[in-house]
Amino acid sequence: MKNITIIVMETWDQLCDQLLVLFQVSFWRKYELLVGICLAVTFVVICASVKYLTTWKSPKKRRTRKNSSDTEAEDDIPPPNVFGSEISCNGGGDQNHSGHFIPLNWEQLSENKMLQKSKEFYQLMNLRRTVRSFSKEKFPRKIIENVILTAGTSPSGANQQPWTFVVVDDHQMKTNIRQVVEAEEEVNYKKRMGNQWVEALKHLNVNWIKPYITDAPYIVLVFKQSYVRDADGNKTYHYYSEMSTAIATGIMCAAIHNAGLVSLISTPMNCDLALSKLLQRPRGEHLLFLMPVGYPALDCTVPAIKRKNLENIFVHH
């Protein structure tokens, strides 16, 4: 019995260590996490029991409650058959759900041309840097629109294109967004993130003060669409919405650099609800990234860091 107890405790400690890494909480909250999980499980069981007891007598009532968009609890958990599907490479919507196919628009290049283009693109992207010091100089909004159109060519799960790019250039709105982000980020740095995470960021000289939100002429807030509702209120789930939106954001980052601008991909932790409300986003959309876009400030500097060489990121079989 004693050995079993030791094994259980060791297993729990290992699980907690993984959860600590996943949720980035400090060590002293390990046992608070256990209490929180137990309370959450208890709450779910109680809610499920109450719902069952209030509907089991009337099958007709159960169907009514299930189909009612007014009383149904909002959630973004897809139905159980979402796993195992492919990420569609159709991008901007040449092919949706109609089953209609068109010829692929593609040209085969010579090997020399392929080598040249791949090298030139690498050299271009190798100049890209994350920037936190922005000029207030404006540029045409059409450039941002083209960048977002490029992001929209990204592949997505079931070609559902589950993303929304909210562009903000109004100074008061940017100020309101900055206030929300800085308030949450201060709590993140001081309480939520833990010493190990904060220590890992020290060489970048960052903290919860985010002047780039109001300095950059544009900020783009990237939302994933976990689901959408049609005009009748029926819910359609989006599969792999987070991965699809992250891929689109990477393509947008490359497009911004290609246009001669600079940016930063930030992840404003715990700002989803407040910013979704501020920007009047529908339920089912969740904030993933906040990206300032513009010119670098005249005195802009970036950390002297090196990217990994090919031997450290490439494996060939």
Side-chain angles (χ1 to χ4, degrees), residues 51-167:
K51 183 175 182 180
Y52 175 76
L53 290 174
T54 56
T55 60
W56 74 274
K57 289 184 178 180
S58 174
K60 183 177 180 180
K61 184 178 180 181
R62 285 205 302 273
R63 289 194 296 270
T64 302
R65 289 176 61 86
K66 184 176 181 181
N67 294 331
S68 172
S69 61
D70 294 329
T71 59
E72 180 183 354
E74 296 277 355
D75 70 78
D76 50 358
I77 302 175
N81 64 342
V82 305
F83 301 105
S85 61
E86 295 181 354
I87 299 293
S88 168
C89 294
N90 297 315
D94 289 338
Q95 169 187 329
N96 278 304
H97 304 289
S98 64
H100 176 65
F101 287 76
I102 60 176
L104 175 65
N105 184 9
W106 177 76
E107 175 188 359
Q108 183 168 348
L109 303 177
S110 68
E111 291 185 358
N112 287 338
K113 188 67 173 179
M114 292 164 62
L115 182 61
Q116 176 189 346
K117 289 174 69 70
S118 64
K119 184 176 181 180
E120 288 175 351
F121 188 70
Y122 162 67
Q123 291 172 338
L124 171 66
M125 294 309 301
N126 196 36
L127 296 175
R128 189 205 61 80
R129 295 301 305 267
T130 292
V131 169
R132 292 178 171 85
S133 180
F134 284 79
S135 165
K136 295 183 179 181
E137 182 181 354
K138 296 183 178 181
F139 58 89
R141 193 181 73 183
K142 184 62 177 178
I143 299 174
I144 283 286
E145 294 174 357
N146 288 337
V147 161
I148 291 176
L149 282 172
T150 304
T153 68
S154 175
S156 60
N159 192 34
Q160 292 179 315
Q161 305 168 55
W163 42 65
T164 302
F165 301 92
V166 179
V167 177

Side-chain angles (χ1 to χ4, degrees), residues 172-269:
Q172 185 57 55
M173 179 63 77
K174 290 193 294 182
T175 300
N176 295 340
I177 291 171
R178 179 177 175 180
Q179 290 173 350
V180 171
V181 172
E182 290 185 340
E184 289 294 339
E185 283 286 80
E186 183 174 6
V187 180
N188 293 336
Y189 273 83
K190 292 182 176 180
K191 295 182 178 180
R192 297 183 182 124
M193 291 165 57
N195 294 333
Q196 187 175 359
W197 190 353
V198 174
E199 189 67 26
L201 293 171
K202 270 191 174 181
H203 73 288
L204 298 176
N205 193 29
V206 295
N207 54 37
W208 58 86
I209 307 300
K210 311 295 183 183
Y212 54 75
I213 295 178
T214 48
D215 287 346
Y218 295 96
I219 58 173
V220 181
L221 296 98
V222 184
F223 290 81
K224 70 171 184 177
Q225 302 170 355
S226 297
Y227 61 84
V228 293
R229 290 187 182 276
D230 61 21
D232 297 324
N234 299 312
K235 185 187 293 185
T236 299
Y237 286 101
H238 285 162
Y239 307 143
Y240 297 108
S241 61
E242 186 158 336
M243 287 181 282
S244 299
T245 305
I247 294 170
T249 303
I251 291 177
M252 183 170 70
C253 183
I256 290 169
H257 179 68
N258 182 64
L261 299 168
V262 296
S263 65
L264 155 72
I265 299 180
S266 67
T267 52
M269 188 166 62

